[in-house]
Every structure is written in structure tokens, then in C-alpha cells.
Amino acid sequence: MAVSPSIPRSPSTTSSSTVPQKLKEIATQNISTGKGVSHPQIPLQNPDYELAQQLNDDVRHKYIKDRKLGEGTYAVVYLGHLRADSASYVAIKKIKVNAEFKDGLSMDAIREVKYLQELSHPNIIALHDVFTSKDLNLNLVLEYLPGGDLEMLIKDGSIHYGAADVKAWMGMLARSVWYCHENCVLHRDIKPNNLLIASDGEVKLADFGLARSFADPYLNMSHQVITRWYRPPELLYGARQYSGAVDIWSMGMVFAELLLRVPFVAGNTDLDQISKINDAFGTPTEENWPGVTKLPNYVSAEKDRIVPLQGRDFFLRQFPTAGSVGAELLMSMCALDPRKRSTASQILQHNWWFIEPKPTKKEDLPRKPGGVKKMGDDLARRGGELQEGPFHNTVRQLDFTAMK
Amino acid sequence: MPPVRNGIPNRGEEDEVCPVCKSSRYLNPSMRFLINPECYHKMCESCVDRIFSSGPANCPVAGCNKTLRKNRFRTQTFEDINVEREVDIRRRVMQILNRREEEFASKRAYDDFLEQREEIIMNLVTGIDVAKTEKDLQTYASENVASIRSNQALEREEASSFQEQQTFEKEQARLRRQAARQEYEDERREMLAGQEDVLRRLAAGKRDDAAAIAREGQKVLLKKSSARRSEEDRIRQKQAALRSSDAKKSGKAVTASQATGDTGLVKGLKKIKTPEPEKPYSPFAGFTTKRDYYTLRDFYPSSYLEPIRNDTRMQAGGFDLGEYYSRTLLEAFAGLGCFIGDEVSKRDPTSTLGISKPATEGAAMAAVSTSIANEETA
């Protein structure tokens, strides 16, 4: 008998916690009754495989695809809804099968499934189900977030928001990052693009395509993660062993961007990014960051461009809207030395959340129509990419001058 | 109109006489009569000036001992002094008892309130239980200052928005009329031009073409006018849509203030929805940092991990052994606290009843088939 327990099970058997158990029962029942009643003469060739397929079909038939929301090189995103309830929208992200990947699936998809399955938090996008369609494409059934993303709100000059709104958004972001870290997951691609907004205004961290769990000691991790503008200096210097502090830096950059409404340090290349960080926050030296010169890709700054480490005054001056306490919090997120950066839980315990102005209630947060399309695009993108447009360079130049 | 009680003669009559100084309009055509809502005795402007300029004084009418002040004197609106008085009272009471329909739990309660208000007004007008009614009114007013004020503001807002709406509509109507007139003019001019054109072409062309030219001219005109009509329809629809959205907006504003309670005087108000006391901001939003089965320490002695503490490169990259500790401990204890037996028994009975047998059957079959497979491979 050609029974092979190694035939890949559908991921849906492991996806949500309660449903598969029941489905399994139904499936086995169907199989056994099918065997007993309608086809008594056909021996059951491959119960395991049959079961997997049955479960997958059950999950697949739970949803109906409506229309395409967005398409990227890596995935297509559809709007869908439950077969049983046409008002319950979901986003179905169909990962394209691509020959260039081992087993035809990109690591991003596997990572996304692996970590989103484990994380369940109001500020993290929910993965409802996973199934394969006929052409063996992987489909992720994700939470429907029609509010667009934070980048859209930052860029739209017609939308006005204040310190209270920033506080509310940052609070939700900090919670999601803290929850990831608490469950030993590094997100590694935090940026306004990946902070989607639900219909009730809740911000949800999405795109776990670059996520991984906390590393074993002595294990090299990739330093080519996190979109450049949000990448911390230790990754730019090629550190292979790092910690959750990388996400905190990204969070600090998002915070700064929310306050300034332009990316705070937006380098054209990795080297440019390093020099911009030097100029903005101070030059990393052995004094303020012991061991920095030992990092693989460390480049020493030119003598004439050495900037002393920026203190509180700088942050206060640069981000007056945050107030002195907010500036202090931002500074603690933007420490050059990752060991001196606050952890997510320290950030959440910071005094800034408790002082006036109180964070805006999520229903009252500013929002913008047209978020559905944006969600489609966001989910279809691969992790770590800057959004390339036709006038990409021009925009960046403008941003740069605006910042200075 | 018949002469009214109290012998107040019709205004404008030549023989009007001031009851105080007895000067008549015949002698003084510019004479104006004033009243004071304290006692509603009428007197002429010069009397008011004469008597009350030097401060409050008693009413000069015999038998009336009310103290009047000059600044309260005003011209009479209604001929009948009783009507004047009732309107004044009504206005004052309505200003205090200014609850709105949407504040009441039911239509019935609102009607009761209206009746009660009417009763109070009538009491004050006809002088029944004046002292008690006044007292009730005053206590109500002092207890519900906030609600009274907010309702007044709402009323003012409504009035002004109503006014705005009126002027807006008038303006719109004017524009529409103007457009229609303009259009009519245009049409007429075009028709004339078309006719002239046709005539000119008829004059220039051959005899055979005559019918064709005439038909063509007709068609052009028709086309133009129908195009105009559809354009007009479109504009009209747009305006209608705008109007309806405006209405919706104003409807929303009305329901905004409803945070008042039942008072002694007014019954049947909606229960106050006490806004939940604002909870202090909880940064973790209810999630805990505590682990059930272990407490994480900062340091665990291990010769395997010791080199990391001394590796400057790893340290500079920010590698945090604490994270490794937390992950390994989390993974080590992850399965604890999951009791499959409990979960099975908690399942709803309908699903377990019919299914338990086949499920075990399936499992047994899977076990058998794998064992066969094992035998084969062995």
C-alpha cells in the first residue's frame, strides 16, 4: 500500500484551534460512512491524504471570493466573505506559486502562516484560515481591514491629526509589538505601510512575511530585513545576532514619522541611511555604543562629520508636538546602542500614555475613505520593499530636503 | 374690533389719554405708551421718565403698590393687556421648562409634560396656587441649569439654521427662476436663428431640397432642447441629493445632548445613560505579562551561553540572552495546562455522540494501515 504519512497535510488542519477538531470528526465520519454505505467495494486507499483533502475542501468552501483588491509580484488579494454570512468580510491573500522558491512557496508565506497562527491580539491582523485552491496556491484568509493604513493618513495633507491621535496609534502599535515580543516573535518589518486600520479605527500590525522567532544563540540571522528607512543601525552595520530592539527602532521611526508627517531618516542607499542616522542621532562610537566597531559592516564616520550623541533637547526641538515626555519616550526608542533601547514592555509602562492629552478613542480617530484598495496593495506586497513608483527618486529627494 | 376690557382703547385713536398725567394724543401726537410687566399699568413715556428716572418708585396708579424700575418698561405688543401678560408668563415658563421631545422615554411622557407645562402657565395666568407654582419652577430652574442652558442653545441653533435654510432656499428659487428665464430666452433666440437659417438655405437652395432642409432644421432644434432638458435633470437631482444630506446632518446634531436625569417636576425623562466612568488608560489592554508556570530570571548559569556575554560583537548587535531564556522557557512550558480530556468532555454532546465511534474507527484504520506499511517497509 502506498500509504505515505509524509504527504503534506493542508495547513488548514493546523490553522485555527477549535474548528479543525470538529472538521476532522466530520471528515472521518464522512469517509467512514462513505465507505460503509455508498462505495463498499472500494478499499480506502489513503485515509490520511483523504482526510487532509476533505478538511481543505471544507475550509475552502467556507469562503466565497468576491473581487480582486490588489495584486503584487508575490500575492493577489481578494475580498471575500463567509458562505454562510455575506456581511462577514474577509481578505483572502492568495500566494502565487513561483518556481524560483524551494517547494514553490516563498519563505514569506510560510513565515506569515507560521507566526500569524500563533498570535492572537486585537492589534495584530487575524489569520482566520488557510487553504489551498485547485492550482495548489496557498490562500490565507485574513481579517478584513477597510480603513487603509497609517501611511495613507500620514501622507494625506487634508487629514489633520494631533498629539492625542498619535498617542492612540502609537499605543496600539506598541501593544502589538509587545505582544509579538512576549510571544518570542520578531516582526522585522514595522512601518506605516504595514499598520492597517480596521473599520473601528483599531490599528493592526500586518505582514509577517519577515517575522521569525527569537534566535538560538550562535545562530546567524539575516541583517537584510526591515525596510531601509526603518532599519536600525545595528542591522545596517551587519549584526547577525540581534534582538527585539530592532523592532523598537522601527517603532521609533514610525513615531517620528507620525509627528513629522515625512519619514524622519530616509536614505537612498544603506550607506546613505547610515550617514543620515549619524547626522540625525549622533555618530556611533565605542563610548556610546561599546563594540560597535567590531560589527561586520561597520564604517567609521568621516572625521569632519562626527556628531555628538543627541540629547533630550534635540528631540524636544525636533518633535515639539510630542511634548517633553513624548520626546523622552521617542529618544528611548531611538537609542543607537540596542542594549540601551527601551523594551516594548518598558515603553508601554512609560508615563507618556497616562499624561494629557489622553489618547483619542479609536472610534474618533481620523480616517480616510478608499482604504480597501490600499489594504489590497499592502497585503499583496512583499516584506522589506520600499514602494517603488515612477517618480520614486524625486519624491525621496523632496522628502530629504523637507527634513533638513 | 370691540373695545377691550380694562377700557384700553384702540391704539391710534385720537383721544388716547395717559391714565397718569391725562395728556392726550391730540395734544401730543408723538406720545408712546409703555407698560411694566410687574403690574401692566399703562402710562406714557414722559410719565415714565418723570417718575422713574431717579430710581425705582411705586406705580403711580392708585391702589397699585408695586415697585417699578425704569429699565423694565417696554412697549406693548398686544392690545389686550391680559394677552400681553399671558404671553410674558408663557415665554418665561417655556424658557425654564424647555425639555425636548427626544429627552422623553415615550410619546406619552412628552405629552404629559406638555400638559403639565400648560397647567403651570394657566396657574400663573389665572392666579391659582401662584406661590407654590413659582417655588416649584424656581427649584426646577436651579436644579437643571445645565440642561436648560443646553436646550436653549439647541433652540437658538435650530432657529438660526432654519433661517439659513430659508434664505438658502429663497436664493435657490431665485436662481432657478433666473435660469429658466434665461433658458427660455436662449431657446427662443435659437429657434429664431434656426428658422432664419432654414429660410436662408431655402432661398439659396433648389426647390427639391426644401422638405429635407425644413426637416433637418426641426431635428436640430429638438436635439438641442432635449440635451438641455437632460442636463437640467441632472442638476436638479444633484441639488436634491445635497438637500437630503444636509437634512441628515442637522438631524444628527439634535440628538447630541441627552445627559439629564429625572427631576422632581418633570417625569418620564429618559433614564440617564451615565457615561461609563472613563477607565484609566491601560497600556497592555488587559493582557498580562505574567507566566503561569515559571518566573523568568535574568541569569541562568550555563557554560554554553557564557561566551556570548563576553562576545563584544554579539553584544554590540544587541543580542539579548534574556530573550533566549524567555523563549526556551515559554516553549518548554507551552504544552502545560492543555487538558485534552477536559476539552473532549466539554464538547457539545450532539457532536460527540454520533461521531465518537466513527472517529475511533478511523483512527484504528489509520493505525492498521500504518502498521501494514511498516511491515512492508520492514
Side-chain angles (χ1 to χ4, degrees):
Chain A
M1 250 207 226
V3 173
S4 74
S6 66
I7 279 174
R9 278 169 183 268
S10 152
S12 68
T13 51
T14 53
S15 66
S16 52
S17 52
T18 53
V19 181
Q21 195 56 44
K22 271 194 184 149
L23 281 178
K24 205 169 206 163
E25 288 159 9
I26 295 160
T28 38
Q29 188 186 25
N30 286 352
I31 289 166
S32 45
T33 51
K35 181 184 162 254
V37 178
S38 48
H39 315 286
Q41 73 280 21
I42 301 170
L44 199 56
Q45 283 284 314
N46 196 334
D48 200 26
Y49 180 74
E50 293 272 319
L51 178 66
Q53 204 158 40
Q54 182 80 33
L55 286 171
N56 183 49
D57 286 348
D58 283 345
V59 174
R60 180 145 59 97
H61 281 108
K62 261 167 70 185
Y63 301 99
I64 293 175
K65 273 182 196 171
D66 283 347
R67 61 189 165 91
K68 198 193 270 184
L69 292 178
E71 176 157 13
T73 49
Y74 149 72
V76 192
V77 178
Y78 297 92
L79 174 70
H81 61 83
L82 272 176
R83 191 172 292 274
D85 177 9
S86 58
S88 60
Y89 289 115
V90 292
I92 300 178
K93 177 171 176 175
K94 179 171 161 185
I95 315 270
K96 290 180 179 170
V97 173
N98 197 325
E100 74 181 78
F101 301 116
K102 206 175 89 186
D103 305 327
L105 266 183
S106 74
M107 268 309 285
D108 301 41
I110 296 170
R111 280 184 176 136
E112 186 142 23
V113 174
K114 185 171 166 189
Y115 294 109
L116 276 182
Q117 259 177 30
E118 301 293 332
L119 299 172
S120 158
H121 187 272
N123 295 118
I124 292 175
I125 191 168
L127 177 70
H128 294 309
D129 268 314
V130 182
F131 62 86
T132 65
S133 36
K134 279 183 220 81
D135 41 1
L136 291 180
N137 277 327
L138 188 61
N139 289 267
L140 315 186
V141 183
L142 293 161
E143 198 174 352
Y144 175 66
L145 302 172
D149 60 18
L150 274 190
E151 188 209 25
M152 195 173 86
L153 293 178
I154 291 171
K155 279 193 177 161
D156 189 326
S158 67
I159 288 176
H160 301 279
Y161 59 76
D165 304 323
V166 172
K167 191 179 280 189
W169 284 324
M170 281 308 292
M172 294 188 259
L173 168 59
R175 262 177 230 159
S176 67
V177 173
W178 167 78
Y179 188 77
C180 288
H181 289 182
E182 197 62 18
N183 290 288
C184 309
V185 174
L186 297 176
H187 184 274
R188 303 201 298 181
D189 197 14
I190 292 167
K191 54 180 172 180
N193 250 335
N194 284 340
L195 294 166
L196 305 190
I197 299 170
S199 54
D200 62 350
E202 191 93 37
V203 167
K204 310 227 177 196
L205 187 57
D207 193 354
F208 279 65
L210 289 175
R212 64 159 298 148
S213 60
F214 288 171
D216 284 331
Y218 306 109
L219 186 90
N220 281 344
M221 289 189 273
S222 163
H223 60 270
Q224 295 288 358
V225 287
I226 306 187
T227 310
R228 191 187 304 121
W229 297 344
Y230 308 91
R231 200 180 294 164
E234 67 264 29
L235 291 186
L236 292 165
Y237 285 145
R240 307 306 295 267
Q241 283 84 21
Y242 47 84
S243 65
V246 295
D247 284 340
I248 304 297
W249 176 277
S250 310
M251 224 164 94
M253 291 299 114
V254 173
F255 190 6
E257 188 168 338
L258 276 172
L259 294 169
L260 296 179
R261 302 195 77 150
V262 286
F264 183 46
V265 275
N268 289 320
T269 60
D270 289 2
L271 271 178
D272 188 34
Q273 185 71 20
I274 291 180
S275 69
K276 287 232 167 68
I277 289 177
N278 282 354
D279 295 344
F281 297 104
T283 314
T285 57
E286 279 292 328
E287 283 83 59
N288 57 35
W289 185 352
V292 62
T293 50
K294 304 280 193 315
L295 286 174
N297 301 348
Y298 175 75
V299 279
S300 53
E302 295 144 47
K303 283 278 173 283
D304 55 329
R305 292 194 65 181
I306 286 183
V307 182
L309 203 60
Q310 300 286 7
R312 268 190 64 177
D313 296 346
F314 164 79
F315 284 94
L316 247 176
R317 208 170 50 244
Q318 197 82 13
F319 306 99
T321 42
S324 65
V325 187
E328 197 178 281
L329 176 65
L330 177 57
M331 187 175 135
S332 76
M333 293 188 206
C334 299
L336 288 175
D337 186 344
R339 282 162 293 178
K340 290 177 188 147
R341 238 168 268 158
S342 294
T343 64
S345 116
Q346 280 165 358
I347 287 168
L348 279 178
Q349 283 157 19
H350 198 272
N351 191 28
W352 187 60
W353 309 109
F354 301 102
I355 61 167
E356 293 291 331
K358 292 254 178 298
T360 317
K361 289 208 201 79
K362 64 183 180 186
E363 313 84 71
D364 304 336
L365 282 168
R367 52 185 76 192
K368 189 178 178 226
V372 180
K373 168 86 176 61
K374 191 76 173 113
M375 174 190 69
D377 292 343
D378 282 341
L379 289 179
R381 214 175 336 97
R382 285 198 70 168
E385 282 173 357
L386 276 175
Q387 246 173 343
E388 306 282 342
F391 303 109
H392 186 227
N393 271 323
T394 344
V395 172
R396 216 190 277 148
Q397 289 295 335
L398 284 174
D399 276 348
F400 169 52
T401 45
M403 187 201 86
K404 283 266 164 169
Chain B
M1 198 178 274
V4 212
R5 281 189 305 174
N6 281 12
I8 296 169
N10 281 346
R11 194 174 285 193
E13 270 179 28
E14 286 292 297
D15 54 348
E16 251 183 334
V17 174
C18 170
V20 178
C21 62
K22 313 292 184 206
S23 68
S24 77
R25 190 179 288 284
Y26 181 73
L27 298 172
N28 181 9
S30 66
M31 187 166 72
R32 279 174 66 222
F33 288 102
L34 296 176
I35 51 149
N36 192 308
E38 206 65 47
C39 65
Y40 293 97
H41 286 131
K42 196 169 82 164
M43 59 195 84
C44 73
E45 209 170 359
S46 63
C47 285
V48 171
D49 280 340
R50 185 166 48 78
I51 301 169
F52 301 101
S53 283
S54 54
N58 279 349
C59 178
V61 176
C64 177
N65 295 320
K66 292 258 162 56
T67 310
L68 308 180
R69 280 154 212 282
K70 192 185 172 193
N71 61 352
R72 300 283 313 271
F73 276 95
R74 57 182 172 79
T75 50
Q76 198 171 339
T77 316
F78 299 96
E79 233 166 53
D80 187 341
I81 211 73
N82 281 327
V83 173
E84 180 84 26
R85 181 161 161 268
E86 185 181 334
V87 167
D88 280 345
I89 291 171
R90 189 172 286 277
R91 185 180 297 136
R92 188 167 61 90
V93 174
M94 300 269 252
Q95 246 166 23
I96 295 170
L97 292 171
N98 62 352
R99 295 280 173 185
R100 305 164 69 85
E101 186 171 356
E102 62 266 19
E103 284 179 86
F104 288 89
S106 63
K107 179 87 177 89
R108 177 65 211 255
Y110 180 59
D111 287 344
D112 286 349
F113 163 73
L114 291 182
E115 190 185 344
Q116 189 187 12
R117 185 163 73 183
E118 219 44 48
E119 209 162 291
I120 288 173
I121 291 169
M122 276 337 277
N123 278 356
L124 291 177
V125 169
T126 52
I128 307 166
D129 264 353
V130 175
K132 187 184 169 297
T133 319
E134 273 301 337
K135 214 186 99 226
D136 282 354
L137 214 54
Q138 287 317 319
T139 44
Y140 173 83
S142 58
E143 275 165 13
N144 297 281
V145 178
S147 124
I148 290 172
R149 203 162 299 152
S150 77
N151 280 346
Q152 277 173 353
L154 271 178
E155 237 158 78
R156 262 197 304 280
E157 203 175 286
E158 258 167 37
S160 72
S161 76
F162 177 74
Q163 208 118 45
E164 253 169 54
Q165 182 76 14
Q166 290 291 79
T167 49
F168 174 75
E169 262 165 26
K170 252 183 227 162
E171 177 66 16
Q172 286 295 309
R174 197 183 62 77
L175 286 177
R176 269 199 303 278
R177 269 199 304 279
Q178 198 179 351
R181 206 178 307 129
Q182 177 77 33
E183 193 201 329
Y184 174 73
E185 287 285 315
D186 284 354
E187 204 168 333
R188 210 170 55 92
R189 211 174 303 129
E190 247 164 54
M191 203 166 69
L192 283 179
Q195 274 170 358
E196 249 168 59
D197 186 47
V198 169
L199 281 178
R200 200 166 33 74
R201 276 161 66 188
L202 279 173
K206 284 191 221 100
R207 189 188 302 181
D208 302 347
D209 299 342
I213 290 171
R215 217 177 312 126
E216 204 179 301
Q218 201 65 36
K219 227 186 269 168
V220 168
L221 277 182
L222 277 176
K223 217 182 271 171
K224 273 183 187 162
S225 66
S226 75
R228 213 173 16 238
R229 220 166 293 135
S230 67
E231 172 78 358
E232 232 171 77
D233 276 352
R234 212 167 47 76
I235 292 172
R236 211 167 290 145
Q237 272 167 10
K238 214 190 269 175
Q239 277 171 348
L242 267 179
R243 260 199 296 280
S244 67
S245 75
D246 274 356
K248 254 181 244 156
K249 249 182 257 163
S250 62
K252 217 183 261 173
V254 172
T255 55
S257 76
Q258 293 184 355
T260 38
D262 241 2
T263 63
L265 196 60
V266 179
K267 301 281 188 302
L269 285 177
K270 262 184 201 161
K271 288 279 162 291
I272 2 161
K273 269 184 254 143
T274 26
E276 285 171 34
E278 202 157 318
K279 288 180 216 118
Y281 185 75
S282 128
F284 292 95
F287 285 79
T288 60
T289 43
K290 264 181 71 82
R291 298 291 184 195
D292 289 344
Y293 299 104
Y294 59 93
T295 39
L296 199 61
R297 276 194 275 157
D298 291 337
F299 175 72
Y300 297 90
S302 155
S303 57
Y304 165 61
L305 297 174
E306 208 44 51
I308 289 178
R309 291 186 196 286
N310 306 321
D311 187 323
T312 41
R313 184 185 273 204
M314 284 196 204
Q315 288 297 310
F319 184 78
D320 185 5
L321 268 179
E323 288 187 351
Y324 173 64
Y325 295 150
S326 78
R327 198 196 101 212
T328 43
L329 278 171
L330 181 70
E331 284 172 0
F333 286 92
L336 286 183
C338 304
F339 300 105
I340 294 167
D342 289 359
E343 279 177 34
V344 170
S345 61
K346 251 185 241 157
R347 249 180 247 154
D348 52 327
T350 47
S351 70
T352 41
L353 272 180
I355 283 161
S356 58
K357 216 180 104 207
T360 44
E361 250 179 26
M365 210 154 46
V368 170
S369 56
T370 39
S371 66
I372 291 169
N374 288 345
E375 274 172 22
E376 275 178 0
T377 46

